[in-house]
Amino acid sequence: MRKSLKYILKLLAIMITIFITGYFIERSAFLGNSFIILNEYFIIFASLSIFTLTWFAYGRCKDDHTLFMGATFLIIGVFELFHVLSYSFMPDFITPNTPQKATIFKEVIQVITAPLFLISAYLYKDTLQLLNKYILFISAIILSIIPLTSIYFLGYIIRNYPSMYSHDDEPSTLRISLLLLSILIIFYASYIYSKRFKQSEEESLIFLVYGFILMGIGDIITYPFETSGILLKCAGFYYVYLALHHSYIELPYDKLLIAEESLKLAKNEAENANQVKSEFLSTMSHELRTPLNSIIGFSDLLKQKMVGELNQKQEHYIDNILNSSKHLLSLINDILDLSKIESGKIEMNVEKISLPSTINDTLEMVRTTAIKHNINLIKEFDPGLEFLEADKQKLKQILFNLLSNAVKFSKQNEGTITITSKKYDEIVQISVKDTGIGIKKEDMGKLFNKFQQIESATYRKYGGTGLGLAISKELVELHGGNIWAESKYGEGSTFTFQIPIENKKGGMIL
């Protein structure tokens, strides 16, 4: 209630100030009709400016209310122009200019704008998307040129126009009724917009309410106080322009700035949360590895029968303990590696290394498992590629992750794994191709995600931590490269990565 009173008092203050200003200007002999004409030119300019503003704003917001307001003010601007051109002191506009001819256009504006304003109030935010930019534009042009197409009938209208006046040259009841009805419709449209303002608190709506009310009051005041009425109408057009400019130019820009700030804040919060998570995982991994290494060490002693003989069941249990412990240690090591990468604490020891030698060393790590499952390993090295600058241990880790996956998912007794190296200018490309189970098309996007297996059935059958490929991706990117995969389900997969031959970063801590 207090807010509503504040807006009402502000509107009253504006109206009183404008009225008093117009009253004193009207009493000043040196201004005369030229001041009124100047203000009417301002109304034409404001109307066409509103049309231009809304026309271009529609391209961004696609809001039918924008189009409708633009078309409405195009019609108002054109009729207002015809009104000014019809003044007696202006050159004849198609037919001889008379005060009655000018008044006709003025009153046409009052009659047609009121229902258009009311329609716009119902269209605001509730449109059914039935309007079209070009249909509205064509409709506005047609409505605007109606006076030109019917101008030859103007003589008849002018001859019969006095009948709309009473005998003492005052407006008849019909003309007064039309004027009052138009103003009531405008006030009702303002009331609808004010209700919408209470719901949304959008400042542009209160400007629109001010504009409509000032136009309506201006139409009433014009008859006894012409200058004050014209000034009130000018103020109304100014406030409508402010409303639409704020709604379709300033507000979207402000929302964009707020969205950018929110995104920055969310990004910072996510980075902080990720940092805390990485530090936590790093700490916990260290804490878990110490007792786990003890379990593995003591289990090895028992398996080697260093403290006495074991029966068959005890040996089976020790094997299970060792296998489970090593699997858990592998998972913890993966988590530790990932947390180091994410926290930026991993050390890159870049040196000149032999690529064929590094690949051969890594192949030896998976050869035993490959032979056990009768999987054939093939090497295809580029003879022109011998050395590159990279972190040898991390390159081995990338290769091992890809090769161990290829072995794991290859078809036993008939599988083939091919590792290929090629040189492309200053880039080395390494591919690991298998003839395994392949990957479904819908699962390709999940491959390099952390802690994610492509399907639970695969995890249960083949095992795995779900981190190998994610770590490989991070390590490849630390070398300044990229990694991707190609696969056909049921026929096999190819994992490829590229890194620079010369590492520009050198040996450094990232």
Side-chain angles (χ1 to χ4, degrees):
M1 183 66 185
R2 189 172 294 176
K3 269 190 175 182
S4 300
L5 183 61
K6 182 185 77 172
Y7 290 123
I8 292 169
L9 291 175
K10 185 177 178 181
L11 180 60
L12 285 173
I14 292 168
M15 287 193 295
I16 292 168
T17 303
I18 294 173
F19 177 81
I20 293 172
T21 303
Y23 178 76
F24 282 109
I25 290 173
E26 192 168 336
R27 292 177 65 87
S28 303
F30 67 93
L31 287 173
N33 289 330
S34 59
F35 182 78
I36 295 174
I37 297 299
L38 186 64
N39 279 276
E40 291 188 335
Y41 278 132
F42 171 80
I43 291 175
I44 296 169
F45 174 76
S47 298
L48 298 180
S49 297
I50 290 170
F51 165 71
T52 305
L53 167 71
T54 52
W55 179 259
F56 287 106
Y58 179 76
R60 293 189 301 273
C61 65
K62 303 296 181 185
D63 179 20
D64 289 347
H65 179 262
T66 317
L67 277 181
F68 193 84
M69 290 297 285
T72 297
F73 280 91
L74 175 61
I75 295 168
I76 292 172
V78 172
F79 272 79
E80 192 70 42
L81 178 63
F82 291 157
H83 164 64
V84 172
L85 293 176
S86 298
Y87 276 129
S88 300
F89 55 83
M90 298 288 284
D92 284 346
F93 173 56
I94 301 180
T95 60
N97 289 349
T98 63
Q100 293 174 346
K101 178 182 172 183
T103 304
I104 290 172
F105 286 119
K106 177 183 175 182
E107 293 182 354
V108 164
I109 295 170
Q110 293 171 348
V111 171
I112 66 172
T113 54
L116 290 176
F117 286 166
L118 183 60
I119 294 170
S120 76
Y122 281 105
L123 276 177
Y124 185 78
K125 302 296 184 187
D126 290 333
T127 177
L128 298 176
Q129 299 293 330
L130 298 176
L131 302 179
N132 178 277
K133 183 176 184 178
Y134 297 100
I135 291 175
L136 269 178
F137 180 60
I138 293 167
S139 301
I141 291 174
I142 292 172
L143 286 170
S144 301
I145 63 174
I146 284 176
L148 291 176
T149 57
S150 60
I151 204 73
Y152 295 105
F153 299 98
L154 201 56
Y156 174 81
I157 297 172
I158 292 172
R159 284 194 301 273
N160 291 275
Y161 189 75
S163 63
M164 295 186 71
Y165 281 84
S166 58
H167 294 294
D168 55 359
D169 206 30
E170 292 296 324
S172 66
T173 304
L174 175 60
R175 292 184 64 240
I176 293 172
S177 300
L178 283 174
L179 174 63
L180 290 176
L181 179 62
S182 300
I183 292 167
L184 286 173
I185 292 173
I186 290 175
F187 285 170
Y188 183 62
S190 303
Y191 169 72
I192 295 173
Y193 275 115
S194 66
K195 286 183 66 178
R196 295 181 183 277
F197 170 71
K198 286 181 181 179
Q199 295 168 354
S200 64
E201 293 291 328
E202 289 185 22
E203 190 178 8
S204 57
L205 289 178
I206 200 65
F207 288 158
L208 211 55
V209 172
Y210 282 0
F212 285 178
I213 292 176
L214 288 169
M215 287 182 197
I217 297 294
D219 283 335
I220 298 173
I221 298 296
T222 298
Y223 287 95
F225 303 99
E226 187 174 15
T227 305
S228 294
I230 290 290
L231 280 177
L232 285 166
K233 285 191 71 173
C234 287
F237 276 84
Y238 171 72
Y239 271 104
V240 170
Y241 179 85
L242 276 184
L244 297 175
H245 187 274
H246 182 272
S247 181
Y248 300 117
I249 303 296
E250 294 176 0
L251 191 59
Y253 180 73
D254 291 342
K255 286 181 177 178
L256 181 61
L257 290 178
I258 292 169
E260 286 179 353
E261 288 300 319
S262 299
L263 283 174
K264 287 178 183 177
L265 183 62
K267 179 176 177 288
N268 291 335
E269 289 177 351
E271 287 176 350
N272 291 335
N274 192 55
Q275 182 75 13
V276 171
K277 179 210 71 177
S278 297
E279 290 176 0
F280 171 76
L281 288 176
S282 179
T283 303
M284 288 305 298
S285 297
H286 280 297
E287 294 297 323
L288 288 170
R289 281 205 303 180
T290 302
L292 195 55
N293 281 323
S294 296
I295 294 170
I296 293 172
F298 285 120
S299 299
D300 268 330
L301 288 176
L302 290 173
K303 184 175 176 60
Q304 294 170 21
K305 302 178 181 178
M306 300 291 290
V307 292
E309 293 295 322
L310 300 174
N311 59 40
Q312 188 176 0
K313 185 172 287 189
Q314 288 170 335
E315 285 186 6
H316 177 67
Y317 289 160
I318 289 297
D319 286 338
N320 284 341
I321 292 170
L322 275 171
N323 290 335
S324 298
S325 299
K326 287 176 180 178
H327 177 74
L328 185 56
L329 183 61
S330 174
L331 175 58
I332 291 169
N333 286 335
D334 284 347
I335 293 172
L336 183 58
D337 287 340
L338 192 61
S339 64
K340 280 182 179 179
I341 294 169
E342 290 182 341
S343 62
K345 293 179 180 178
I346 191 165
E347 185 177 349
M348 290 286 288
N349 298 311
V350 177
E351 57 183 326
K352 190 174 183 180
I353 61 173
S354 168
L355 181 60
S357 175
T358 304
I359 293 175
N360 284 330
D361 289 347
T362 312
L363 282 169
E364 289 304 314
M365 298 167 66
V366 298
R367 191 178 299 279
T368 302
T369 308
I371 292 171
K372 181 180 177 181
H373 296 296
N374 198 23
I375 296 170
N376 190 27
L377 298 176
I378 298 174
K379 299 180 290 186
E380 295 179 357
F381 294 164
D382 188 334
L385 179 61
E386 175 65 30
F387 296 101
L388 77 156
E389 294 177 1
D391 185 313
K392 187 173 183 179
Q393 287 304 118
K394 292 175 178 55
L395 182 57
K396 276 187 174 182
Q397 189 173 356
I398 296 166
L399 292 168
F400 177 76
N401 286 341
L402 298 182
L403 286 168
S404 59
N405 272 355
V407 171
K408 184 192 299 184
F409 296 111
S410 285
K411 297 171 184 176
Q412 297 186 14
N413 302 321
E414 56 178 299
T416 300
I417 296 172
T418 305
I419 184 165
T420 307
S421 67
K422 289 183 181 180
K423 180 182 178 182
Y424 294 96
D425 296 327
E426 298 302 315
I427 299 293
V428 57
Q429 177 173 300
I430 300 172
S431 299
V432 176
K433 181 180 180 181
D434 65 64
T435 56
I437 61 174
I439 304 161
K440 293 178 180 177
K441 188 175 181 180
E442 60 268 24
D443 291 327
M444 292 294 289
K446 306 175 186 177
L447 283 175
F448 298 100
N449 292 349
K450 300 161 190 172
F451 300 102
Q452 189 167 6
Q453 293 283 346
I454 56 176
E455 56 180 58
S456 58
T458 302
Y459 176 77
R460 286 194 297 269
K461 183 175 179 181
Y462 296 98
T465 65
L467 285 174
L469 290 177
I471 291 172
S472 297
K473 179 177 182 292
E474 297 284 355
L475 293 176
V476 167
E477 289 175 354
L478 281 176
H479 281 85
N482 61 306
I483 186 170
W484 67 92
E486 297 168 317
S487 183
K488 191 169 184 181
Y489 186 63
E491 296 184 13
S493 306
T494 303
F495 285 83
T496 306
F497 68 94
Q498 292 179 336
I499 57 174
I501 293 176
E502 292 184 8
N503 192 291
K504 305 298 183 184
K505 298 176 180 179
M508 59 186 295
I509 297 175
L510 298 176

